[in-house]
Amino acid sequence: MKAESVTSHRGGMWAWLFQRITAVLLIVCLAIHLVFTHIVGIGDISYDTIGDRLAHAGFIAVDIILLAAGTFHALNGLRMVLMDYWFTSRKRALALTVVLWVVGLAALVYGIWALWPWIS
Amino acid sequence: MIHHDVIVVGGGLAGLRAAIEAKRAGLDVAVLSQVHPGRSHSGAAQGGINAALGNHPEGRDDSWEKHAFDTTKGGDFLGDQDAIVQMTKDAIEVIYEMDHWGCPFSRYEDGRITQRPFGGAGFPRCCYGADKTGHYLLHTLVEQAYKHQVKLYVEQYVCKLIVHEGICQGVVAYDMIRGGFEAFSGGAVIIATGGAGRIYANSTNALINTGGGMAMAYHAGVPLKDMEFIQFHPTGLYSTNILMTEAARGEGGYLVNGLGERYMEKYAPKFMELAPRDIVARAGQTEINEGRGINGQPYVYLDLRHLGAEKILERLPGIRDLAIHFEGVDPIEEPIPVVPSQHYTMGGIDTNVDGATIMPGLYAAGECACVSVHGANRLGGNSLLETIVFGRRAGADVFRYLESRPDKRPPNARAAFAAVQAMEDKVEALARAEATENAYALRTEMALVTKEHFGVFRDEAGMKAGLDKLLSIKERSAKVGLRYTGNVFNLDLIRTLDLEGMIDVALCMAMGALNRTESRGAHYRTDYTKRDDANWLKHTLAYYRPGEAGPRLDYKPVTLGYFEPEERKY
Amino acid sequence: MSKKPRETANIGAGLWKATGMWAWLLFRISGLILVFYLGAHILVISTAQWSEAGKTFNDLMKAFEHPVLVLLDLALVVAVLYHALNGVRVILMDLGIGVRSHKLVYWICMAVVVIVFAVFAYVAFTYIITGKGVM
Amino acid sequence: MAEITFRVKRQDPQDKKNPEAHWEDYKITYEGNLTVLEGLFYIQEKYDGSLAFRYCCRASVCGSCAMYIDGAYRLACQTNVKHLDSAGSPDPVVTVAPMPHLPLVKDLVCDMTDFFAKYEYIMPWLIRKSPDPEKELLQSPKDRKKLDMPIDCILCGCCYSSCPSVWGEENYLGPAALLKAYRFEVDSRDEARKDRLSRWDNERGVYRCHTIMNCVEACPKELVPTEGIQWLKRAAIRRRLFGRLK
Ligand SMILES: Cc1cc2nc3c(=O)[nH]c(=O)nc-3n(C[C@H](O)[C@H](O)[C@H](O)COP(=O)(O)OP(=O)(O)OC[C@H]3O[C@@H](n4cnc5c(N)ncnc54)[C@H](O)[C@@H]3O)c2cc1C
Ligand code: HEM
Ligand code: SF4
Ligand code: F3S
Ligand code: FES
C-alpha cells in the first residue's frame, strides 16, 4: 500500500450519497413507469398511446426524473465498478469521472430532445 | 548491522511501555518481537489490573499502603518492600495514564473505572475491562507505539545478546520473514520477553513463552532470581489448561468437589474462593489427590451457574466463549471442569527497582524480570501492573543511563559481527549434526518432568529424581540436530534453539527448589511444611556456569523496612 | 447473543458459502445490464423523433411484440426487480438497519422479487397467449 | 485412538526447484480432542520440520493462527476437528490452506505487511485535544457499550482476506482498519476532528465498501465490521451537514 495513493482520493461522499438518493427516486418512478408500460399498457405501446400518456404533466415529470436520476445512477454505478478493477490510480479515476460526466450530460440532452415534443 | 539507541526485546505490555517511555524521552527506540506486538501473550490476560483507585463502593478506604501490604503478605514476605511500595504508589498514575491513552475499561454509572474483588486483596481494587483486560491494555499500548512511531521489527526471533567488555551492546535476531541472522546494536537493551511457562506441560501460557529472554541474560552471566517460585493457577480448563480467570471467582463463582461441597471452607474459611492462588491451588490439588475430584476424575468444578446468564454475558463473555470452544461446556448451564495449572514465573532476571541488571546496558522488565514485587506468590492483577510500572521505569532509566554514560563510543561492530558469526556457526553445526535425539521429544519429556516433580506439592525425593532426569535430558540435548535448513520461517530452527534455554531455565528452577528447605508461598514442600524466616528469608540467585550442567546458587537478603513478616492466614 | 453460538462450529464461513458476496455479484451484474439497457432504451425512445409521426418508433414497437422479445423483456424485469430490492436492502444497511441479519433481509427481499415478478409474468403470459392485456 | 488426514497446502516460493503450490496429506492419530493447531504441531514434529505456520496464544485471543480450514476462515487453535464437516466420516480429511488473496511467505504464513500498514495509516489511537484530567476521563456505561464490538478485534486478518473489494483494489483500507477507525471515532473520549476523518472519508476508505458482508461472515470473533463502516459513512454525512461526527 502506498499511503499517497490512498490520500489522493479525496471525497466520494457526495457521489455515494447521490447514488442512494437517486436510487430512492428511481424505485418510486420506475414502479410507476413499469406498471403503466408493462402491465396496464402491455402490447399497446405506440407513438400515439405514449403521446396520450405523456399529455399528463405528471408522467412527463416521472419520465424526466427517470432520465436524469437514471443517468446519474447508471453512470456513477458504472464508475464504481470500473474503479474497482481497471481505473484504480488517481489519474485514471479522474479521467474516467470526467468522461462519464460528458457522456451523462450528452445522454441527458439527447433524452430531453427525444421527449421535447411532449414537454413543450 | 542495524543501530538504534535502545533495543527492546519483546512487544508485550512491558516491552511496549518501556519503548514508549524511552521514545518520549527522545531516544530512537526499536522493538524486536517474535510475533506482532499485538499478538503478545499479555493479550491473554483476563481478570484485571490492581490499583487503589477506591472507585468500588466498598473500596473507598483503599490506599496504596494497603495495596502494598496485601502484596507483601500475598508474596509471603519474600518481596522487596521498596519495590512493592514503588509499584503500588505508581499504580494509580499508570492506570489513569492508560485510560487517557484510550484503554476501554468497564465503567460505573458515574463514568469511573470499575473495580472487582480479587484473590488476596483486602479491597476490591482490580480494575478491569470485561474479562479481556489484557487484550485491551495491550492494544492500547500497541496503538500508542504506532502513534509515537516506535520502530517495530516484527517476527524477529532474538537469540543472543551482544556483550562487549562486560557491557550489553545489542542482540542477534533471526529474521523469520526474510531469513538469516542480523545484529541489532544499541546503547542499551531491555529484555521483556515474558514468562517461561512452557517449561511445564500443564501451562496456561502462550506457546511462545519459553523463557528465551531469561536464558539469554542467564547465558550472558546475569543471575536469575527466585526461579523456584512457580505459580499454579487453581482454574485452568481440564483438557487444555486454558485459563479461567480469577475474576470468575471474583464475580462470585464457586469451586466444588466431587461430593458437591464448596471445599474452600476447609482451607480458607474467611476468604473462601478468593484466598491467594497458591492456597486455592493447593486446596484443589488436595481434593483431587484425595479422590474427591468429580466422579473420581482428576478435576474439580468451577460453578458459575448461580451468577445467571446476564451477569456472565456482561462480565465474563470471554470466559464463556473459551469454555464453549475448548471444553464444550456452556458456563450458563453447566459447571466447568478445572485443574490447577502452571501460570506464572515469579522469578526471573535479577533487576533493581529501575529494571537495571548487574550488567551495564542490560535491562529487564515484565514477567521475565524479577524486581521482586511478587515474592513467593503473585496476587492476581499485580503482574499486569508490574509490566506497566516497571516497563515505564526501565524506559526512563535507560534514558538516564545513556545520558550519564561516560563512554560515548558507538557499539563495537566487531563484537556484533562475532556474535552473528557465532549464531551462524551454531546453526551450521546443528544442520550438519548427526542427530540421534529428537528435540521435540526431549522438550515434551522435560515439560512432563517439571509437571510431575516440581508441581503444586514438592518433596526431597521427588525433586531429586526430577533433577536427575532433567540433567540427563540436558546431556541428551547436545545430540539434537536440524531437520530443515531453509531460511524463511524455519520453525524447526526456532524450536530447536529454544530447547537449550528452556532446559537451563528449568534447571535453575529445579535446583533452587531442591535447595530451599521450607514452604513459602507457591513453593510448598510436604517435607518442610513451615515457613522458615530464620534461614530462608532471602532470594535465590542462579548463575550460569559455562560447561557445567546446572547453575551456581547464591543468596541475597530481602529488602524489608515497611512490614514485619508475620504468619500468613486467610 | 444466541445460546451456544457456534458450538458445532463453522467458525467463520468460507467464500463459497457467503450469501452476501453472491448477492453483491448478482447486484453488480444486474446493475451493468441495466446500464446498457438504459442506453438502448434512450435510443429506442428517441426514434420517436427520427421520423414523421413516430413511424420508426411504431415499427420498432411492433417488432417488440414478438413473444421472444416479450420474454427478454421479462428477463429485464427480473434484473430490475432484483437490483431494486437488493438496492433497498443495501440502503437499509446504510441506515444501520439489518446489518446483523443481512441474510434474513436478503431472503425477504428475494421473496418480494418473486411475488412481484409473478404479477408481471402473469400479465406477460396472458398477453403472449391471448394477445391481450389483463386490464 | 482416532485417525484423521490433514491435507495441507504447501508452497515455498523461495524453493527454486519447486516454487509452486501443492497439497500434501498427513495422517494424524490422536486421543480425545484435537485442534487444527495441535494437528499442525504434530505434523511439524513427526513428519516435516519445514512446515511453517503462525501461532502464539493457542486460546483464540492473539489472532496469529488465522487460516482457511475446510473452505472457511478459522482460527486453527479454536477449531476442533470434531466440529468440522468431515467429522462423522470413516476416513475424515481436513484441508488446511493459507488465507487466500494475500501474498504468501511460506506454507500457511501470509504476508501481513499491507494489513498493518493500513492499520497504522488509519491513526488507530485516541486523539485528545484538551488537557488530560487528573483522574480518569469519565465515560458513561452507555458510551462504553458502543465500544464492545470493535475493541474485540484481534487483527487476525480474516475479514481483510475475505473482502472482494480488497481483492480488486490493493489500496482499499479494508474492514479491519476501518473498524479500528470506527472504534475511535465512536469513542466518547476521542477528540479527533479532521485528523482521522480525512483518512477514511474517501474512495479508498469507507466508500469502497459495497456492503458485501464477507468480512462479517469470516470474522472468527463474530464481529461486524460493516456496522462500523456504515456508521462512519453516516458520520461523514453528519459532519458535512451538521458539523459533528457523533
Ligand atoms: C492466561 C493468563 C491470564 C493472565 N491474567 C492476568 C490478570 O488477569 N492480571 C494480571 O495482572 N496478570 C495476568 N496474567 C499475567 C500477565 O499476563 C503476564 O505476566 C504479563 O502479560 C507478561 O507481560 P510481558 O510484557 O512481560 O510479556 P509478554 O506479554 O509475554 O510478551 C513477551 C514478548 O516477548 C516476545 N518474545 C519472546 N521471546 C522472544 C524472542 N526470543 N525474541 C523476540 N521476541 C521474543 C514476544 O513476541 C512478546 O511480544 C495472566 C497470564 C496468563 C497466562
Ligand atoms: C430501481 C431502483 C434502484 C435502486 C433501489 C438501486 C439501488 C442501488 C444502490 C443502493 C446502489 C449502490 C450500491 C453500492 O454502493 O455498492 C446501486 C448501484 C448501481 N446501480 Fe442501482 N438502483 C436502482 C436502479 C438502477 C438502474 C435503473 C440502473 C441502471 C440503469 C442501476 C445501475 C446501477 C449500477 C451499475 C450500480 C453499480 C453496481 C455496483 O457497484 O455493484 N440501478 N443501485
Ligand atoms: S474484524 Fe474480525 S476478522 Fe477482522 S481482523 Fe478483527 S477479529 Fe479478525
Ligand atoms: S467484505 Fe468488504 S466490501 Fe465491505 S462489508 Fe465487508 S468490507
Ligand atoms: S494461536 Fe492465538 S489465536 Fe490461535
Side-chain angles (χ1 to χ4, degrees):
Chain A
M1 183 196 79
K2 292 166 221 83
E4 167 273 325
S5 50
V6 183
T7 11
S8 62
H9 286 81
R10 289 266 155 75
M13 188 200 87
W14 293 117
W16 181 84
L17 187 57
F18 277 114
Q19 188 74 355
R20 320 284 130 166
I21 293 173
T22 53
V24 175
L25 284 176
L26 278 173
I27 205 162
V28 176
C29 298
L30 207 60
I32 300 171
H33 182 83
L34 283 182
V35 165
F36 280 93
T37 45
H38 289 255
I39 292 186
V40 178
I42 190 164
D44 194 20
I45 300 177
S46 69
Y47 187 79
D48 299 326
T49 52
I50 293 219
D52 287 350
R53 208 181 79 216
L54 287 180
H56 292 281
F59 281 107
I60 291 215
V62 166
D63 277 17
I64 290 188
I65 292 175
L66 267 183
L67 180 64
T71 312
F72 178 89
H73 187 94
L75 294 184
N76 189 43
L78 189 64
R79 174 173 154 277
M80 288 195 314
V81 178
L82 292 178
M83 269 175 40
D84 270 356
Y85 307 113
W86 297 287
F87 293 80
T88 47
S89 81
R90 174 182 155 74
K91 256 201 207 131
R92 285 199 196 180
L94 214 68
L96 176 71
T97 310
V98 171
V99 169
L100 286 179
W101 269 108
V102 172
V103 171
L105 289 175
L108 199 62
V109 170
Y110 184 66
I112 290 185
W113 170 74
L115 290 174
W116 191 252
W118 297 297
I119 295 174
S120 55
Chain B
M1 192 172 81
I2 297 168
H3 180 81
H4 292 276
D5 293 344
V6 187
I7 304 289
V8 180
V9 184
L13 284 175
L16 290 174
R17 191 61 191 81
I20 292 167
E21 195 63 20
K23 182 79 193 189
R24 296 218 296 181
L27 298 175
D28 165 27
V29 187
V31 172
L32 275 65
S33 176
Q34 189 179 350
V35 294
H36 186 277
R39 312 210 188 290
S40 298
H41 179 60
S42 297
Q46 301 165 347
I49 176 168
N50 291 340
L53 301 185
N55 281 356
H56 192 286
E58 285 160 27
R60 297 222 195 289
D61 301 329
D62 203 3
S63 65
W64 66 260
E65 288 94 339
K66 289 178 179 145
H67 183 185
F69 175 71
D70 286 341
T71 305
T72 314
K73 181 175 167 202
D76 231 350
F77 297 91
L78 190 69
D80 285 329
Q81 298 183 0
D82 54 341
I84 294 175
V85 163
Q86 188 65 54
M87 175 175 85
T88 53
K89 262 191 199 165
D90 282 1
I92 298 167
E93 197 183 319
V94 298
I95 297 290
Y96 288 145
E97 187 177 62
M98 289 304 288
D99 174 70
H100 297 165
W101 287 349
C103 182
F105 289 109
S106 294
R107 302 287 166 162
Y108 287 121
E109 274 311 317
D110 61 6
R112 291 176 310 153
I113 297 169
T114 47
Q115 294 184 286
R116 61 164 53 122
F118 237 52
F123 290 96
R125 69 167 73 96
C126 186
C127 310
Y128 66 92
D131 55 358
K132 301 171 190 162
T133 318
H135 175 76
Y136 298 160
L137 289 169
L138 180 63
H139 277 261
T140 304
L141 283 188
V142 171
E143 288 152 12
Q144 290 299 315
Y146 274 105
K147 177 181 170 188
H148 289 99
Q149 299 188 323
V150 171
K151 178 80 186 150
L152 302 176
Y153 292 94
V154 176
E155 296 180 334
Q156 301 276 355
Y157 173 79
V158 178
C159 44
K160 195 177 174 60
L161 297 178
I162 302 171
V163 181
H164 180 64
E165 292 173 350
I167 299 175
C168 186
Q169 297 198 332
V171 298
V172 180
Y174 164 60
D175 186 330
M176 295 163 71
I177 298 295
R178 258 147 301 173
F181 290 93
E182 176 77 79
F184 290 79
S185 77
V189 172
I190 304 177
I191 298 185
T193 53
R198 283 290 145 187
I199 60 173
Y200 276 82
N202 58 335
S203 175
T204 63
N205 286 191
L207 300 174
I208 62 165
N209 280 13
T210 54
M214 296 179 188
M216 269 186 283
Y218 174 65
H219 289 150
V222 178
L224 298 185
K225 183 159 75 184
D226 290 343
M227 289 303 291
E228 62 268 35
F229 295 100
I230 299 284
Q231 178 166 80
F232 293 85
H233 197 288
T235 56
L237 280 182
Y238 171 54
S239 55
T240 50
N241 300 110
I242 287 172
L243 186 79
M244 293 290 106
T245 172
E246 188 163 320
R249 283 170 285 135
E251 296 293 350
Y254 297 154
L255 285 170
V256 183
N257 65 13
L259 307 174
E261 307 164 333
R262 280 180 72 188
Y263 56 80
M264 283 312 295
E265 271 168 10
K266 290 182 283 185
Y267 303 91
K270 200 162 126 228
F271 273 62
M272 292 296 285
E273 278 86 355
L274 284 178
R277 287 184 183 161
D278 54 335
I279 294 172
V280 186
R282 275 199 293 279
Q285 196 63 47
T286 308
E287 293 298 311
I288 291 170
N289 290 351
E290 293 175 1
R292 289 190 297 277
I294 306 300
N295 300 327
Q297 297 289 77
Y299 60 82
V300 292
Y301 274 151
L302 171 63
D303 195 346
L304 304 179
R305 288 172 299 179
H306 57 284
L307 300 182
E310 198 181 323
K311 191 162 178 184
I312 293 178
L313 288 177
E314 188 199 318
R315 307 267 179 88
L316 304 164
I319 288 303
R320 176 170 175 263
D321 281 354
L322 290 175
I324 289 175
H325 285 310
F326 293 97
E327 199 67 56
V329 301
D330 184 341
I332 294 177
E333 287 161 6
E334 292 161 84
I336 315 166
V338 292
V339 286
S341 314
Q342 189 285 341
H343 183 56
Y344 188 81
T345 24
M346 265 76 75
I349 304 166
D350 179 27
T351 70
N352 67 11
V353 213
D354 286 321
T357 67
I358 56 165
M359 177 183 281
L362 184 66
Y363 287 75
E367 191 173 340
C368 68
C370 180
V371 194
S372 204
V373 284
H374 306 310
N377 172 57
R378 164 177 82 90
L379 291 187
N382 265 354
S383 82
L384 289 179
L385 180 61
E386 178 204 7
T387 59
I388 299 183
V389 167
F390 292 104
R392 185 168 88 147
R393 293 184 68 83
D397 199 55
V398 159
F399 178 73
R400 287 193 291 272
Y401 163 74
L402 290 178
E403 288 293 289
S404 67
R405 200 175 36 155
D407 178 7
K408 293 265 195 273
R409 269 180 302 168
N412 186 293
R414 209 168 304 148
F417 181 74
V420 171
Q421 192 62 45
M423 272 326 291
E424 277 167 0
D425 291 348
K426 189 169 175 177
V427 173
E428 209 28 60
L430 278 174
R432 256 187 285 120
E434 188 96 21
T436 51
E437 291 285 349
N438 180 320
Y440 304 110
L442 285 181
R443 180 193 182 116
T444 315
E445 215 174 296
M446 176 205 62
L448 288 172
V449 170
T450 47
K451 175 183 171 186
E452 193 184 325
H453 298 278
F454 301 91
V456 177
F457 294 108
R458 305 165 169 185
D459 66 52
E460 175 98 17
M463 287 195 286
K464 273 225 167 89
L467 184 61
D468 285 344
K469 288 186 195 170
L470 285 179
L471 288 171
S472 95
I473 290 172
K474 163 110 184 157
E475 213 174 284
R476 284 157 61 201
S477 73
K479 293 178 217 140
V480 301
L482 282 182
R483 294 173 304 154
Y484 174 61
T485 52
N487 248 336
V488 173
F489 231 93
N490 189 340
L491 293 186
D492 203 35
L493 174 64
I494 291 177
R495 300 188 71 205
T496 308
L497 288 178
D498 271 346
L499 184 66
E500 187 192 348
M502 290 174 82
I503 296 177
D504 281 347
V505 170
L507 278 171
C508 291
M509 184 273 295
M511 288 188 55
L514 187 57
N515 251 26
R516 190 177 275 274
T517 50
E518 64 157 351
S519 286
R520 182 186 293 273
H523 174 66
Y524 190 87
R525 294 184 59 146
T526 49
D527 44 359
Y528 297 91
T529 53
K530 286 265 163 327
R531 195 172 86 194
D532 178 2
D533 284 340
N535 294 309
W536 287 106
L537 189 58
K538 57 187 180 185
H539 298 295
T540 310
L541 295 178
Y543 289 87
Y544 182 55
R545 291 184 298 177
E548 305 265 343
R552 172 172 70 84
L553 293 186
D554 198 357
Y555 292 91
K556 82 172 182 188
V558 172
T559 313
L560 302 170
Y562 294 86
F563 313 107
E564 271 312 300
E566 53 176 62
E567 204 199 339
R568 186 163 163 258
K569 266 220 279 271
Y570 288 95
Chain C
M1 210 192 315
S2 60
K3 264 179 80 189
K4 287 192 187 180
R6 288 172 177 174
E7 197 202 343
T8 48
N10 272 347
I11 303 151
L15 295 174
W16 293 103
K17 294 175 216 148
T19 318
M21 179 172 70
W22 299 114
W24 163 75
L25 209 60
L26 284 175
F27 184 58
R28 187 152 261 206
I29 293 168
S30 64
L32 289 177
I33 292 174
L34 292 179
V35 174
F36 289 107
Y37 174 73
L38 179 69
H41 194 61
I42 293 179
L43 275 182
V44 168
I45 302 293
S46 68
T47 55
Q49 311 301 326
W50 286 1
S51 55
E52 198 53 34
K55 191 172 164 336
T56 336
F57 180 79
N58 281 343
D59 292 350
L60 264 175
M61 283 300 130
K62 273 270 134 3
F64 285 156
E65 282 164 23
H66 190 276
V68 175
L69 285 168
V70 174
L71 282 179
L72 264 184
D73 213 40
L74 269 185
L76 194 71
V77 170
V78 175
V80 172
L81 284 177
Y82 180 84
H83 189 93
L85 267 298
N86 192 56
V88 168
R89 165 174 162 272
V90 168
I91 292 174
L92 284 178
M93 289 201 286
D94 291 336
L95 297 171
I97 302 166
V99 177
R100 281 170 197 251
S101 49
H102 69 107
K103 283 189 208 166
L104 178 67
V105 179
Y106 180 69
W107 292 116
I108 292 174
C109 288
M110 288 310 102
V112 176
V113 168
V114 170
I115 294 167
V116 179
F117 177 70
V119 175
F120 274 93
Y122 171 68
V123 176
F125 279 105
T126 317
Y127 174 70
I128 291 178
I129 294 161
T130 65
K132 282 200 203 80
V134 270
M135 281 183 226
Chain D
M1 272 301 182
E3 210 171 65
I4 191 164
T5 304
F6 270 41
R7 184 161 296 158
V8 183
K9 194 172 184 188
R10 305 291 308 269
Q11 183 172 14
D12 183 0
Q14 311 280 313
D15 187 348
K16 294 279 170 324
K17 273 178 255 142
N18 186 13
E20 296 306 317
H22 54 280
W23 294 87
E24 273 180 41
D25 284 5
Y26 306 92
K27 272 239 169 334
I28 292 170
T29 52
Y30 67 99
E31 248 171 302
N33 288 305
L34 178 81
T35 64
V36 171
L37 189 67
E38 284 162 357
L40 293 175
F41 273 115
Y42 186 100
I43 297 171
Q44 213 261 336
E45 293 177 9
K46 294 251 160 44
Y47 297 116
D48 191 346
S50 70
L51 182 66
F53 51 95
R54 284 197 177 96
Y55 61 90
C56 179
C57 69
R58 68 87 175 78
S60 70
V61 289
C62 76
S64 300
C65 64
M67 300 172 190
Y68 204 57
I69 298 165
D70 260 14
Y73 288 95
R74 293 186 167 98
L75 296 176
C77 66
Q78 194 185 32
T79 309
N80 189 328
V81 294
K82 264 192 200 144
H83 296 155
L84 295 171
D85 295 342
S86 59
S89 86
D91 186 15
V93 177
V94 177
T95 59
V96 185
M99 284 192 281
H101 302 285
L102 293 177
L104 191 77
V105 174
K106 184 174 185 308
D107 296 339
L108 302 170
V109 178
C110 302
D111 183 355
M112 304 293 278
T113 318
D114 266 15
F115 178 79
F116 281 110
K118 290 171 185 180
Y119 165 81
E120 179 175 9
Y121 177 77
I122 206 71
M123 304 175 84
W125 51 80
L126 197 76
I127 298 176
R128 298 278 307 165
K129 306 265 151 128
S130 38
D132 287 329
E134 210 166 285
K135 294 194 165 185
E136 66 264 62
L137 295 160
L138 299 180
Q139 181 174 49
S140 71
K142 198 166 134 263
D143 282 337
R144 169 60 179 73
K145 209 164 174 52
K146 294 180 187 159
L147 308 181
D148 273 354
M149 186 271 284
I151 49 177
D152 273 357
C153 174
I154 55 175
L155 299 176
C156 65
C158 285
C159 55
Y160 182 75
S161 151
S162 78
C163 172
S165 292
V166 175
W167 310 342
E169 158 62 293
E170 57 161 357
N171 289 321
Y172 171 44
L173 292 175
L178 292 175
L179 185 67
K180 251 315 161 225
Y182 166 67
R183 178 249 173 276
F184 285 102
E185 300 287 16
V186 80
D187 193 324
S188 61
R189 296 168 295 176
D190 190 77
E191 292 174 341
R193 290 180 200 119
K194 265 180 146 169
D195 322 44
R196 205 183 288 110
L197 175 96
S198 65
R199 308 233 162 164
W200 53 257
D201 175 35
N202 60 51
E203 292 191 312
R204 294 298 175 267
V206 287
Y207 305 115
R208 176 88 347 167
C209 167
H210 304 297
T211 46
I212 299 171
M213 310 301 272
N214 275 8
C215 53
V216 180
E217 208 89 330
C219 179
K221 284 289 175 189
E222 300 180 61
L223 308 185
V224 193
T226 319
E227 205 169 78
I229 300 174
Q230 300 303 77
W231 184 91
L232 287 176
K233 289 172 181 167
R234 294 196 298 279
I237 294 172
R238 266 199 301 277
R239 213 198 115 81
R240 289 250 160 60
L241 300 185
F242 313 113
R244 61 185 173 83
L245 263 177
K246 294 188 187 98

